[in-house]
Amino acid sequence: MGEKENAVVKAILDYLSLIKITAWQNNTQGVYRGKGRYSFNPRCRAGVADILGILPDGRFLAIECKAPNKYKNPEDGLSEKQKEFRYDIITNNGMYLVVDDVSQVAERIK
């Protein structure tokens, strides 16, 4: 995750805390093993959103953050694994957002 994307994650977590929504950062990056190799825990699911939480009505919240202005539409930056995760959240009545700015979260969560 790049520096700009980290700033988006932090701003969103601060906002969610301010409006009293329980949320946390989900770190799914692999461990660098040298020579361009990474290893991932095989029991961890690939494509999980950057921020996970619980909405006041009890629904699951997942927010995938993208670097600001990297994509015309932030959803264009989703990998196939992220799309699969989004599908699972939405089909189970959760809320899944793909954003590149905290204002987009504020618009969708009221």
Side-chain angles (χ1 to χ4, degrees):
M1 185 179 307
E3 190 175 318
K4 291 179 180 180
E5 190 173 317
N6 274 330
V8 173
V9 170
K10 182 183 180 325
I12 292 169
L13 287 170
D14 289 347
Y15 172 73
L16 293 173
S17 176
L18 182 71
I19 63 170
K20 309 284 190 248
I21 290 180
T22 301
W24 58 93
Q25 184 172 355
N26 182 54
N27 295 320
T28 57
Q29 296 177 337
V31 176
Y32 185 67
R33 300 293 185 197
K35 298 182 183 177
R37 295 178 298 129
Y38 288 83
S39 65
F40 297 87
N41 184 333
R43 294 181 303 276
C44 292
R45 181 170 180 176
V48 176
D50 299 310
I51 296 173
L52 303 177
I54 306 163
L55 293 167
D57 64 4
R59 289 184 302 141
F60 188 82
L61 171 66
I63 303 173
E64 178 61 33
C65 301
K66 299 298 180 187
N69 304 313
K70 185 172 182 179
Y71 302 97
K72 184 175 182 179
N73 177 350
E75 295 220 8
D76 294 342
L78 291 178
S79 70
E80 287 305 311
K81 293 292 185 184
Q82 289 169 331
K83 290 175 184 176
E84 291 170 13
F85 184 74
R86 174 183 62 186
Y87 175 82
D88 288 345
I89 299 306
I90 292 170
T91 58
N92 286 288
N93 200 35
M95 178 182 281
Y96 186 97
L97 307 175
V98 184
V99 301
D100 63 5
D101 187 83
V102 67
S103 67
Q104 296 161 339
V105 176
E107 290 171 10
R108 302 273 304 276
I109 297 176
K110 297 181 180 185

